[in-house]
Amino acid sequence: MIIVVNNWKRKLKSFCIILFAIVVFGATLPVLSNIINNQVPVVSTWVKDEHPSGNPMRVEKEEDKSKYDQVLDNIVLKLQNFYYND
């Protein structure tokens, strides 16, 4: 059985254009959502979830602090001590 399709070249061309548009939209969707939300969308299986250890004294790793951050921390601690002493 042979099926004859009229204007098959035009129909194949339009199908390829639509398929290309869908692929491009699917590839740019994560980038667009990143721009809108300022976050990178990830699939939950890509990243291992960190469960709380239950240790209240757990300290996060600190990045190198600038001189400004160190001075600001010292001022905050001095103000706290000033108000706690009163």
Side-chain angles (χ1 to χ4, degrees), residues 6-9 18 21 23 25 30-31 33 37 42-44 47 55 57 63 69-71 78-79 83 85:
N6 293 334
N7 300 325
W8 66 273
K9 289 181 182 180
I18 292 171
V23 169
F25 178 75
V31 175
S33 64
N37 294 327
V42 294
V43 178
S44 63
V47 203
N55 182 2
M57 299 300 289
E63 297 177 6
D69 291 334
Q70 292 172 353
V71 170
K78 288 179 182 178
L79 282 174
Y83 285 110
N85 289 337

Side-chain angles (χ1 to χ4, degrees), residues 71-86:
V71 170
L72 190 63
D73 288 343
N74 288 336
I75 292 172
V76 169
L77 289 174
K78 288 179 182 178
L79 282 174
Q80 285 178 346
N81 291 337
F82 175 75
Y83 285 110
Y84 285 138
N85 289 337
D86 286 344

